[in-house]
Amino acid sequence: MRSTSPGLCEASFRRRALPLVIGLVAALCGVLVWGQEDVRCLGCHGKPGFKKVLPSGQVLDLFVDPTLIRLSVHKERHCADCHADVNEVPHKELPQKVNCRRCHYQGNTEGAPQTKRYLEFENSVHGKALKAGNTKAPVCQDCHGDHFILPGSDPRSNVSHANVPQVCGGCHLQIYGQYRESIHGKALARGVKDAPVCTDCHGEHTIAKPEDRTSSVNPGNVSNTCAKCHSKIVIMERYGISAEQVATYNESFHGIANEFGVLKAANCASCHTAHDILPPDDPRSTVNPKNIPKTCGKCHPGANANFANGRIHINAKERSAGIVFWVALGFKVLTISTLLGLFLHIGLDLFRQIRTSRARAKGGDKAGEERS
Amino acid sequence: MSTASTGGWRPKDAEAVVSAMEAKVSETLASEIPTDLSAEEAARLRQSLLDSLPREAAQDARRLCRLFTNKRERLAKAEEKRLRKEAHAEQCVERLSLHLRVQHLIMFSSCILLIVTGLPIKFHDAAVSRIIMSFFGGPSVTGLLHRIGAVGLTFIGLYHIYYSMAFETGRRDFGLLMPKLQDAKDAVQQILYFLGLKKDKPLYGRFSYIEKFDYWAVYWGMVVMITSGYILWFQETAINQFGKFAYDIAREAHSDEALLATLAIVIWHFYNVHFNPKRFPGSLTWWNGKITVEEFKEEHALEYEEWRLSGKIPQEEESSTGTLGRRGE
């Protein structure tokens, strides 16, 4: 028996150590049990290269890297929490597509965020397509990912700002290609934080068809959507773009017609296109002066090069408007001076009439001779 | 009896009425008094009825007097009014021919239509513009109405130019409307008169500087609005021909001149013909073309002289049917 410190004899040591050991073992068992659930799945699905070849020749990659899940927002979850229809291992049938609404609904007690987004999604064009039976319509995991879901603020996430176009491009390939060539896409590629991505214009869970009156890209709403950035001086001055473009559009005949409900009137996308937006000095741009007749010609048949002879977005109050500024100024001066003159004349006339009638009331004959 | 009204009934007449009624009542009493009354009671009843007679008769008489004199007064007033109207009618001259009045009518109808359909576009932010637009049935219909007004205005503008050349009166009036140095002198004298620094108003011919201003301001306005309007209407042709900047100039001119013209009409023209205390609530000259001789003498003294010398002023004879050219005094 050692006698190292007073009071530390074998009996007391055992007394102290035993609960510790039991605890450790229990924990270990717990961990094993807890991990046991996943271990059964990972027995096959944890092996890299685990795949299935379908009769059509398509190869399904069935490998799931557990470390990815442990790094994602679902690190506390088990396979069966989502793949709830898998009861035995090996499972004879192909599991159904996971329904995220098992946990992700307003009022859930699973620890998932409290959100109504799933309802918004149901009303969106994707949700409606899904309900109509379109098997290609995306569900949550098609955009957010499946085993490596991270919040949008994390740059590694599928739905982080910079990654959105790629995710949407997975189905909308052609538009993704157009976007990448556009000035917005190029800015994003350069790392510009302000550059808009698909969701900035179309929304996230509320995406609706352009024909839908509530859609942010409905002809009646397009200018408001573009205005979210293009009317803000703070953003626009970083890139040397005028922040007046939306305002000048709203004052133009196109803008006024649009405001009064004439939806076939031109909006931002009619001239600038939706996904091929390029600056005017780019020869491919629809708003390059050489291409203006063709762009305007879409609605104004027969438009010639003279359509480019003048500013398109024009504010008559600015000197940059050239001769139009002087016309506006001239009329302003004319109107004010004319009306001032007329008011003065009326005022003097009344003044004289009042004086005369007062004098007549007081003085009788002498003033009565002078008729106003 | 206090029959203070002029002429008609005198106290003696009231007495006559009383006696007549007494006689009548006696008859009635003779037949109506119940026979089962005692002689005493019958006598008392008769007496009380007779006593009340004068009072009632007097009341009736007074009432009849009043009715009679009221009617006389009413008839006298109506007659007076008729005579006054006739007197005025004799004192009216035709200043604006039918030809001119019809032109004015077509012009202001077109103008009102243009203003009402055009201003909602200029002030598109205002909530009332939306109401007006939907009242007309939307932007397309409003635009169509505006173009109808435009065609009307163009037609009358061109017709007026034709009138000013092809008709004797048109040529004469057009010549008289030309601005002259005298107009500037008149304006100065008029302003000094308003300020009380001159005793007399200037003497005007057929058109004072005010009327000349109204005419030429409208002329200018119509030229600007019609030219810019057609550029806006046929914008593709116009832009193809002249360039987009021409369209922008036209748009600016059309928008600004519209406001100036509307304000000038609503403030200045309406003051001259409606709100001027001399003319309030309004002159009907635009409708019947007439002004009174007094107004003629006062407002267009030089023209009045010409008319007098050439014998065109109607003296005391009937010249036209009665209309109200100006509120009588």
Side-chain angles (χ1 to χ4, degrees):
Chain A
M1 195 147 80
R2 306 164 282 165
S3 54
T4 44
S5 49
L8 190 69
C9 63
E10 205 178 88
S12 66
F13 178 78
R14 224 179 290 143
R15 222 181 305 130
R16 282 203 192 102
L18 195 57
L20 195 61
V21 168
I22 293 177
L24 273 172
V25 169
L28 193 61
C29 290
V31 165
L32 285 175
V33 165
W34 181 74
Q36 197 67 14
E37 292 192 34
D38 291 348
V39 158
R40 286 158 67 206
C41 309
L42 291 172
C44 295
H45 288 279
K47 293 201 175 76
F50 182 57
K51 62 184 184 295
K52 179 179 178 140
V53 181
L54 295 173
S56 63
Q58 191 189 357
V59 175
L60 281 179
D61 179 14
L62 298 172
F63 168 60
V64 176
D65 188 346
T67 51
L68 284 182
I69 300 189
R70 296 292 157 250
L71 291 171
S72 78
V73 294
H74 290 136
K75 50 178 166 307
E76 305 286 319
R77 298 275 150 225
H78 302 293
C79 311
D81 287 333
C82 297
H83 298 278
D85 52 342
V86 175
N87 294 318
E88 50 171 9
V89 172
H91 52 94
K92 295 201 175 45
E93 285 153 14
L94 209 57
Q96 301 240 311
K97 221 171 185 185
V98 171
N99 184 356
C100 306
R101 284 165 56 169
R102 275 173 60 79
C103 302
H104 286 269
Y105 59 90
Q106 183 82 9
N108 76 83
T109 49
E110 310 292 333
Q114 303 293 344
T115 174
K116 290 220 174 88
R117 291 211 185 98
Y118 70 100
L119 287 173
E120 286 175 354
F121 174 78
E122 265 180 19
N123 287 328
S124 76
V125 63
H126 291 144
K128 287 192 181 141
L130 200 68
K131 219 185 289 188
N134 185 343
T135 50
K136 292 217 207 114
V139 285
C140 319
Q141 48 268 52
D142 292 308
C143 297
H144 288 271
D146 38 28
H147 300 113
F148 190 48
I149 299 181
L150 289 162
S153 47
D154 190 321
R156 298 170 297 170
S157 162
N158 263 19
V159 295
S160 70
H161 191 251
N163 288 337
V164 163
Q166 207 170 355
V167 167
C168 303
C171 294
H172 299 276
L173 198 57
Q174 192 181 15
I175 294 181
Y176 178 48
Q178 288 174 327
Y179 169 80
R180 272 176 56 152
E181 286 301 303
S182 77
I183 189 166
H184 290 149
K186 288 255 154 67
L188 185 76
R190 279 201 320 268
V192 172
K193 289 270 180 306
D194 289 326
V197 294
C198 321
T199 46
D200 290 312
C201 297
H202 290 273
E204 300 170 355
H205 301 100
T206 53
I207 304 176
K209 275 191 164 153
E211 292 83 33
D212 191 331
R213 199 65 185 87
T214 57
S215 164
S216 55
V217 296
N218 177 279
N221 298 331
V222 165
S223 59
N224 291 334
T225 304
C226 303
K228 287 199 295 192
C229 296
H230 280 271
S231 63
K232 300 205 166 95
I233 293 186
V234 176
I235 302 177
M236 290 295 108
E237 66 187 359
R238 294 183 203 142
Y239 309 101
I241 305 175
S242 161
E244 281 196 337
Q245 304 300 69
V246 181
T248 51
Y249 165 77
N250 284 334
E251 285 301 312
S252 74
F253 250 101
H254 292 144
I256 296 177
N258 199 308
E259 188 183 334
F260 278 120
V262 182
L263 293 186
K264 68 175 183 184
N267 55 61
C268 314
S270 314
C271 302
H272 291 274
T273 74
H275 306 111
D276 288 315
I277 304 177
L278 290 162
D281 47 15
D282 189 318
R284 299 167 295 166
S285 167
T286 47
V287 297
N288 181 293
K290 295 245 166 28
N291 298 330
I292 289 250
K294 183 150 154 261
T295 305
C296 300
K298 284 196 285 190
C299 300
H300 297 280
N304 67 24
N306 250 340
F307 266 68
N309 188 0
R311 290 178 67 93
I312 304 289
H313 285 268
I314 185 165
N315 182 352
K317 295 196 173 69
E318 304 257 316
R319 271 177 200 258
S320 55
I323 189 172
V324 183
F325 167 76
W326 294 106
V327 169
L329 185 64
F331 269 105
K332 189 167 162 186
V333 169
L334 180 69
T335 305
I336 295 177
S337 55
T338 305
L339 289 176
L340 268 181
L342 298 180
F343 269 122
L344 207 60
H345 197 280
I346 294 175
L348 287 172
D349 191 347
L350 287 171
F351 169 67
R352 177 68 205 222
Q353 287 188 44
I354 291 172
R355 263 183 68 170
T356 306
S357 70
R358 283 220 190 112
R360 204 184 290 167
K362 270 195 230 157
D365 304 66
K366 226 204 304 193
E369 241 147 61
E370 296 187 285
R371 305 224 350 243
S372 60
Chain B
M1 222 150 313
S2 58
T3 45
S5 15
T6 57
W9 292 59
R10 297 151 308 213
K12 268 209 293 190
D13 297 322
E15 277 176 36
V17 172
V18 173
S19 333
M21 290 190 74
E22 262 184 8
K24 249 209 172 139
V25 165
S26 305
E27 276 177 50
T28 318
L29 286 176
S31 52
E32 293 291 333
I33 285 193
T35 45
D36 57 341
L37 286 177
S38 68
E40 227 185 280
E41 286 170 334
R44 251 191 286 140
L45 178 58
R46 211 180 141 168
Q47 193 51 47
S48 74
L49 282 169
L50 282 171
D51 285 339
S52 68
L53 264 179
R55 197 178 57 242
E56 285 179 23
Q59 282 173 359
D60 279 340
R62 272 201 287 273
R63 191 170 51 81
L64 281 170
C65 287
R66 230 176 291 129
L67 283 173
F68 186 74
T69 50
N70 281 352
K71 184 167 184 195
R72 261 192 37 146
E73 274 170 22
R74 249 201 340 270
L75 285 174
K77 265 204 198 131
E79 180 66 20
E80 210 182 309
K81 190 171 178 191
R82 193 182 64 81
L83 288 173
R84 228 187 315 131
K85 262 183 140 183
E86 274 184 19
H88 264 122
E90 283 164 27
Q91 305 236 359
C92 279
V93 294
E94 188 182 80
R95 174 169 164 78
L96 300 174
S97 64
L98 180 67
H99 205 159
L100 281 173
R101 279 179 269 144
V102 169
Q103 287 182 53
H104 178 252
L105 208 103
I106 297 178
M107 181 178 73
F108 79 67
S109 309
S110 304
C111 269
I112 290 177
L113 181 63
L114 287 165
I115 290 173
V116 171
T117 51
L119 286 184
I121 297 182
K122 181 170 171 71
F123 297 110
H124 55 94
D125 289 335
V128 67
S129 297
R130 211 165 289 271
I131 297 172
I132 296 175
M133 274 277 182
S134 55
F135 168 75
F136 282 125
S140 311
V141 177
T142 310
L144 176 68
L145 290 172
H146 196 79
R147 286 165 175 80
I148 291 174
V151 170
L153 194 74
T154 313
F155 161 73
I156 200 63
L158 293 172
Y159 180 80
H160 183 75
I161 292 176
Y162 166 71
Y163 166 80
S164 304
M165 296 194 301
F167 287 80
E168 164 78 48
T169 43
R171 283 197 296 269
R172 182 206 66 199
D173 277 345
F174 193 74
L176 287 173
L177 279 164
M178 284 299 173
K180 301 214 162 43
L181 186 61
Q182 184 60 33
D183 295 310
K185 292 189 192 161
D186 287 342
V188 171
Q189 190 179 348
Q190 178 80 302
I191 302 287
L192 293 175
Y193 169 79
F194 284 152
L195 291 167
L197 298 171
K198 265 238 161 72
K199 222 164 53 85
D200 298 308
K201 285 199 315 172
L203 297 174
Y204 298 121
R206 181 160 170 79
F207 301 114
S208 69
Y209 71 91
I210 294 176
E211 283 142 348
K212 290 189 187 184
F213 171 81
D214 278 348
Y215 180 81
W216 290 110
V218 172
Y219 216 95
W220 150 262
M222 279 177 68
V223 167
V224 171
M225 294 307 280
I226 290 174
T227 311
S228 58
Y230 280 104
I231 291 179
L232 292 175
W233 186 344
F234 301 102
Q235 78 268 57
E236 278 137 26
T237 316
I239 298 179
N240 276 345
Q241 192 69 29
F242 304 115
K244 189 191 180 255
F245 72 94
Y247 168 89
D248 289 329
I249 294 174
R251 168 125 195 254
E252 198 56 40
H254 199 80
S255 183
D256 292 340
E257 176 64 30
L259 187 65
L260 174 54
T262 308
L263 288 176
I265 289 173
V266 171
I267 297 173
W268 175 247
H269 187 58
F270 278 21
Y271 170 79
N272 284 330
V273 298
H274 288 292
F275 301 129
N276 190 335
K278 281 191 287 183
R279 299 212 202 301
F280 191 77
S283 126
L284 280 172
T285 311
W286 64 275
W287 179 248
N288 54 40
K290 302 204 188 299
I291 52 169
T292 61
V293 174
E294 289 110 58
E295 198 181 326
F296 194 20
K297 268 196 265 188
E298 203 180 298
E299 302 281 321
H300 306 284
L302 300 175
E303 197 190 1
Y304 175 79
E305 264 314 294
E306 282 174 34
W307 280 42
R308 201 172 59 82
L309 291 171
S310 63
K312 281 204 276 184
I313 303 282
Q315 294 307 322
E316 293 308 307
E317 71 233 288
E318 288 266 299
S319 66
S320 47
T321 51
T323 43
L324 204 62
R326 184 183 165 190
R327 215 162 67 138
E329 5 185 74

